[in-house]
Amino acid sequence: MKRMNFEGNRVLMRVDFNVPLNADFDITDDTRIRKALPTIQHVLDEGGSVILMSHLGRPLKKLKADGSIDRDKFTLRHVVAHLADLLKRPVRFANDTIGEEAVAKSARLKPGEVLVLENTRFNKGEKSGDQDFAKALANLGDVYINDAFGTAHRAHASTTQVASYFDTDKKGFGFLIEREIENADKVLHNPPRPLAAIVGGAKVSDKILLLEKLLSSVDILIIGGGMAYTFMKAQGGSVGKSLVEEDKLDLALDLLEKAKKNGVELLLPADSMVADDFSADANHKVSSSSEIEPGWMGLDIGPRAIDDFSRAIGKAKCMLWNGPMGVFEMDAFSSGTKAIAQAVADATKAGAFSLVGGGDSVAAVTQMNLADQVSFVSTGGGAMLEYLEGKELPGIKAIRG
Ligand code: AMP
């Protein structure tokens, strides 16, 4: 991004302005818009103009009763006034993405000016990655910048196909994507050792590829959250009515075997906070994770597990954390996740590199006000998970080649 020339160029930029709106269409959280500002500002400072494109919600999935697009609800016009405030300059809006208005308004842009196009997902060609739609988008700008990491794992027209219409020196990543890749690569390529991964969340099935990939790279693998009980049961433990994926028991054993073969220190929670119901005010007590009584379920890691996990995290020089250790949304079952967040923050303070990303652990770290005490918090969600799994993301490949 820093090395590219933007002077006098109209820069077609894919951003993630998919912000939450209330019933009056006011923005309730502008984090995504704020995060895109440095990239936009850089182009403007360098003498370019900016044509912004983004999706907002799922307009083609949530059609009106008469089958038409709910334009009032899903229009990107909702972000224009706030963006203008943040950039401290006027922001224009085109009522279409590739139609006459978009073409005319983008052609008239002068250096320092900003235009927002209508929601890319109003056009069917966006999600299908239609070449004609992508080509028409590409015609609007001289340079293409993708700064929407959260959609980089989708082969959509504005994130992927559009890039093929620009020469190598006329396309690149914005600062947001650059930082996400740079930080993920610190964990993926030649990390300082020991390298630890802390994986939690609800299900093994969501994280199979991640676990498999991690088992060939990490020194320490810590497994918590709901998925731990499938591993417990696979090894012959009694887990009561904890979350178990019966069809993943064999897979869990294979993963344990692979860990042993690769010399990975694998930690499962020795004990759990178990409850007699999946609810915030359920009766709860500490139990060994492999001897959970019938009628009880593990909803958080227990005090011994917290000690074991924290000690292992303290040994690591580099770590990745994906997924909470329990049902952290409920106070009674949030202690494990809180303690792990603190352990990751402490290890970071002691000099380790820590990446939090690709799951609900991001929400946990933010909720606990520890986001600035870890090395990097990814906003990439599913895209980060796929990148860490070692997959080539279409939006990244389209630019890197
Ligand atoms: P993920 O999106 O994969 O990070 O999963 C996050 C979800 O897993 C959260 O909504 C947690 O409530 C849930 N979760 C964590 N631990 C458990 C557990 N022991 N039992 C059921 N759900 C859990």
Side-chain angles (χ1 to χ4, degrees):
M1 176 89 190
K2 279 262 161 65
R3 284 191 302 270
M4 290 179 73
N5 175 27
F6 297 112
E7 196 174 346
N9 281 323
R10 289 168 308 151
V11 178
L12 180 69
M13 191 185 292
R14 179 56 157 98
V15 287
D16 179 3
F17 282 174
N18 184 29
V19 288
L21 302 168
N22 65 16
D24 297 326
F25 306 128
D26 298 320
I27 299 165
T28 54
D29 179 354
D30 68 351
T31 310
R32 287 179 171 162
I33 300 179
R34 284 181 185 275
K35 292 216 170 212
L37 295 177
T39 305
I40 299 171
Q41 196 62 52
H42 179 72
V43 171
L44 298 173
D45 291 348
E46 295 288 304
S49 58
V50 179
I51 303 161
L52 296 167
M53 48 183 179
S54 174
H55 71 286
L56 178 65
R58 297 174 163 196
L60 296 182
K61 283 246 165 74
K62 299 187 174 160
L63 295 170
K64 291 204 287 193
D66 66 0
S68 64
I69 292 176
D70 191 345
R71 289 180 181 266
D72 291 342
K73 181 169 179 188
F74 293 108
T75 176
L76 260 184
R77 191 184 278 283
H78 297 314
V79 308
V80 170
H82 190 55
L83 178 63
D85 279 351
L86 292 171
L87 287 171
K88 299 188 183 64
R89 66 179 76 207
V91 170
R92 294 167 173 71
F93 181 71
N95 282 298
D96 50 18
T97 36
I98 53 166
E100 267 173 43
E101 195 175 327
V103 172
K105 286 189 172 169
S106 54
R108 279 203 301 270
L109 279 185
K110 294 194 199 62
E113 292 183 342
V114 181
L115 170 71
V116 174
L117 302 179
E118 185 52 285
N119 193 339
T120 50
R121 288 197 188 162
F122 281 5
N123 193 308
K124 276 208 290 279
E126 167 69 340
K127 282 185 109 172
S128 64
D130 181 70
Q131 290 292 353
D132 292 336
F133 179 53
K135 191 170 179 187
L137 284 173
N139 280 337
L140 301 174
D142 309 305
V143 172
Y144 171 68
I145 292 290
N146 187 358
D147 208 19
F149 185 69
T151 47
H153 58 320
R154 310 256 184 249
H156 293 172
S158 70
T159 63
T160 303
Q161 281 77 10
V162 65
S164 65
Y165 298 97
F166 293 88
D167 292 339
T168 315
D169 62 336
K170 298 275 189 214
K171 57 186 168 188
F173 301 120
F175 293 132
L176 263 183
I177 291 202
E178 275 180 356
R179 265 168 51 81
E180 293 271 349
I181 298 175
E182 210 176 278
N183 282 290
D185 284 350
K186 284 187 189 163
V187 175
L188 292 174
H189 307 301
N190 299 318
R193 293 197 178 262
L195 168 64
I198 308 138
V199 184
K203 294 193 199 150
V204 189
S205 50
D206 293 338
K207 310 270 166 92
I208 297 171
L209 292 173
L210 180 67
L211 290 168
E212 275 175 350
K213 164 92 181 156
L214 290 172
L215 280 174
S216 51
S217 63
V218 300
D219 304 293
I220 303 166
L221 178 60
I222 296 171
I223 297 180
M227 70 169 71
Y229 303 100
T230 299
F231 286 88
M232 288 294 169
K233 179 151 188 195
Q235 291 174 292
S238 310
V239 296
K241 52 177 185 177
S242 305
L243 194 66
V244 166
E245 287 172 278
E246 296 288 343
D247 62 336
K248 295 290 174 291
L249 294 172
D250 287 344
L251 175 94
L253 286 179
D254 287 349
L255 291 171
L256 291 169
E257 192 55 40
K258 188 169 178 191
K260 205 184 279 170
K261 206 172 98 215
N262 293 358
V264 173
E265 181 184 342
L266 190 139
L267 283 86
L268 286 161
D271 59 355
S272 292
M273 186 60 75
V274 298
D276 58 359
D277 189 21
F278 189 86
S279 76
D281 51 9
N283 294 311
H284 53 275
K285 61 183 182 184
V286 175
S287 156
S288 152
S289 298
S290 54
E291 289 164 15
I292 299 176
E293 291 165 33
W296 292 76
M297 63 183 106
L299 293 186
D300 194 11
I301 57 172
R304 257 173 64 208
I306 289 177
D307 269 3
D308 295 346
F309 289 5
S310 302
R311 214 170 309 116
I313 290 167
K315 286 195 291 192
K317 290 279 177 294
C318 185
M319 70 199 75
L320 157 71
W321 179 19
N322 174 296
M325 296 291 102
V327 185
F328 76 105
E329 300 92 333
M330 299 179 192
D331 238 12
F333 310 108
S334 63
S335 307
T337 303
K338 276 186 189 149
I340 295 316
Q342 192 58 55
V344 172
D346 291 346
T348 312
K349 202 167 169 199
F353 175 82
S354 55
L355 169 76
V356 182
D360 257 3
S361 37
V362 171
V365 162
T366 311
Q367 201 175 300
M368 285 154 207
N369 288 322
L370 290 173
D372 57 352
Q373 293 180 48
V374 298
S375 310
F376 187 69
V377 178
S378 166
T379 51
M384 178 51 89
L385 187 59
E386 290 194 19
Y387 194 74
L388 293 170
E389 285 168 355
K391 283 194 195 142
E392 201 164 39
L393 308 189
I396 308 271
K397 184 163 189 278
I399 285 176
R400 271 191 186 158

